[in-house]
Amino acid sequence: MAVYTDVTEPQLAEFLDRYDLGSLSSYKGIAEGVENSNFLLRTSGGTFILTLYEKRVNRGDLPFFVGLMEHLAERGLSCPLPVHDREGNALGELSGRPAAIFTFLDGMWTRRPNLDQCRGVGAALARLHECARDFPLTRQNGLSPADWRPLYESCGGRADEVEPGLSAEIEAELADFEANWPGHLPKGVIHADLFPDNVFFLAGELSGLIDFYFACNDLLAYDLAITLSAWCFEPDGSYNVTKGRALISGYADVRPLDEAEYRSLPMLCRGAAMRFMLTRLYDWLNVPDDSFVTKKDPREYLKKLRFHRGVREASEYGLEKAAVTKGTA
């Protein structure tokens, strides 16, 4: 979370007048994150999170994001719940930005996940997929394989500034994805960004998921691939197969993979690494150093991409055949 747009106390007090949350006690910006402005909000009625949606978020997508969190919370998945004003609106306007208030989720994210946490996040991801089966709204993935080449081309042929030969490597990978991406796999609503800083734990137990602002409709197993890459690599860049086995088993206990998903997991993991490498590459090359956007080194995901390219069987990730069904999911 982060703060890009300032909010004055009179502006916030006027905004809160629309809600039954009591009087304003205090508010302060939350420093982490890259997409929106977030504030820890305390009122006489409790503690909440105030989010102002910045320019990188499409206003037209907000009903999907807010509606999805409400849908999931109603079905027992722990995530922030949108707070409605007296007229029933979950979205408003504050400081020239779309704004919403959410319930406060207790917990902290982990920087060094253990096996139980990996198993827990796998199970939570599968529950998200299951709970969202009947969510009526849809949103196209704006960072799908069809978007990767335009994103790469927007880097202006400068990839070799990050590492010599990177342009040719990316071109070869994109050609393979365009020819062989397994688009026939089971689809549904995915989180698409379930990194450790978007999962909270409290007293050793998973307490909830946050940051649904990349959520969309896409391949369910691709979401698992994203999560594997985010949770199961060690700081030295090595893949921890024991953590991978725990995460996948947690997922499969709720939603077993089908045979096609099993066979496609290496390609999906390569794609997940490519997606995050390209977005980081774009920011690395195009975003000014003095901007509010936190730039992340694309070479972290380049190393992961190269690891996944060497994987031939899903079993190398720790996925056991017992976690696979013969039918479709």
Side-chain angles (χ1 to χ4, degrees):
M1 298 182 178
V3 175
Y4 305 123
T5 299
D6 192 22
V7 177
T8 67
E9 185 173 342
Q11 287 175 319
L12 181 53
E14 182 179 355
F15 183 75
L16 286 175
D17 280 344
R18 300 165 43 197
Y19 294 83
D20 289 319
L21 298 179
S23 58
L24 176 63
S25 300
S26 67
Y27 71 105
K28 65 177 180 179
I30 300 172
E32 294 181 344
V34 298
E35 291 297 322
N36 302 308
S37 293
N38 294 279
F39 299 85
L40 180 64
L41 177 66
R42 299 186 189 279
T43 75
S44 56
T47 302
F48 305 90
I49 297 294
L50 168 67
T51 297
L52 276 65
Y53 298 97
E54 300 294 341
K55 294 179 181 179
R56 282 166 56 129
V57 176
N58 186 334
R59 283 176 180 247
D61 289 334
L62 294 179
F64 177 90
F65 299 141
V66 173
L68 176 61
M69 284 184 272
E70 205 158 39
H71 180 92
L72 295 173
E74 288 172 353
R75 282 153 183 78
L77 188 77
S78 181
C79 64
L81 186 63
V83 178
H84 292 253
D85 65 16
R86 293 189 191 92
E87 295 181 358
N89 301 310
L91 287 166
E93 191 93 6
L94 179 59
S95 296
R97 296 280 188 268
I101 296 174
F102 295 92
T103 54
F104 181 77
L105 194 63
D106 279 320
M108 296 284 291
W109 68 276
T110 179
R111 286 166 173 78
R112 294 294 299 271
N114 60 37
L115 295 184
D116 287 340
Q117 290 168 333
C118 288
R119 187 175 293 105
V121 78
L125 180 66
R127 286 197 296 272
L128 186 160
H129 292 165
E130 292 295 299
C131 289
R133 279 181 180 269
D134 58 346
F135 183 57
L137 303 182
T138 60
R139 176 180 178 265
Q140 183 176 341
N141 187 356
L143 290 166
S144 71
D147 301 290
W148 295 344
R149 185 173 292 278
L151 179 58
Y152 166 63
E153 291 173 348
S154 69
C155 295
R158 298 172 56 203
D160 285 0
E161 296 177 21
V162 173
E163 182 173 307
L166 182 55
S167 293
E169 186 173 353
I170 292 174
E171 287 281 2
E173 287 290 311
L174 289 176
D176 195 13
F177 291 134
E178 289 161 356
N180 297 302
W181 189 250
H184 61 285
L185 299 177
K187 297 179 176 68
V189 174
I190 69 172
H191 186 283
D193 194 37
L194 201 59
F195 279 63
D197 57 351
N198 289 329
V199 181
F200 284 1
F201 294 88
L202 184 66
E205 300 293 328
L206 194 150
S207 60
L209 312 181
I210 67 168
D211 199 351
F212 287 80
Y213 302 115
F214 285 100
C216 57
N217 293 80
D218 210 326
L219 307 179
L220 299 177
Y222 175 60
D223 212 13
L224 177 61
I226 290 172
T227 310
L228 274 175
S229 281
W231 284 76
C232 299
F233 281 84
E234 298 299 331
D236 65 0
S238 63
Y239 179 76
N240 188 320
V241 70
T242 308
K243 289 183 178 180
R245 184 177 297 112
L247 194 152
I248 294 169
S249 66
Y251 184 93
D253 284 345
V254 178
R255 180 190 172 268
L257 300 180
D258 68 23
E259 288 278 358
E261 291 175 311
Y262 176 86
R263 292 191 302 270
S264 299
L265 192 60
M267 171 67 78
L268 295 172
C269 286
R270 278 173 59 201
M274 174 62 79
R275 172 260 186 264
F276 284 96
M277 191 269 287
L278 286 176
T279 51
R280 291 181 178 198
L281 179 68
Y282 176 85
D283 285 347
W284 194 261
L285 295 173
N286 293 287
V287 174
D289 290 337
D290 60 354
S291 74
F292 286 115
V293 176
T294 301
K295 297 195 292 185
K296 298 179 180 178
D297 193 336
R299 286 169 292 193
E300 176 190 350
Y301 266 81
L302 177 59
K303 291 177 183 177
K304 293 179 180 181
L305 173 63
R306 290 168 175 167
F307 168 82
H308 294 309
R309 189 189 303 143
V311 173
R312 294 292 175 262
E313 296 286 341
S315 59
E316 296 177 50
Y317 293 116
L319 176 55
E320 300 173 352
K321 272 289 189 176
V324 180
T325 62
K326 292 186 178 180
T328 57

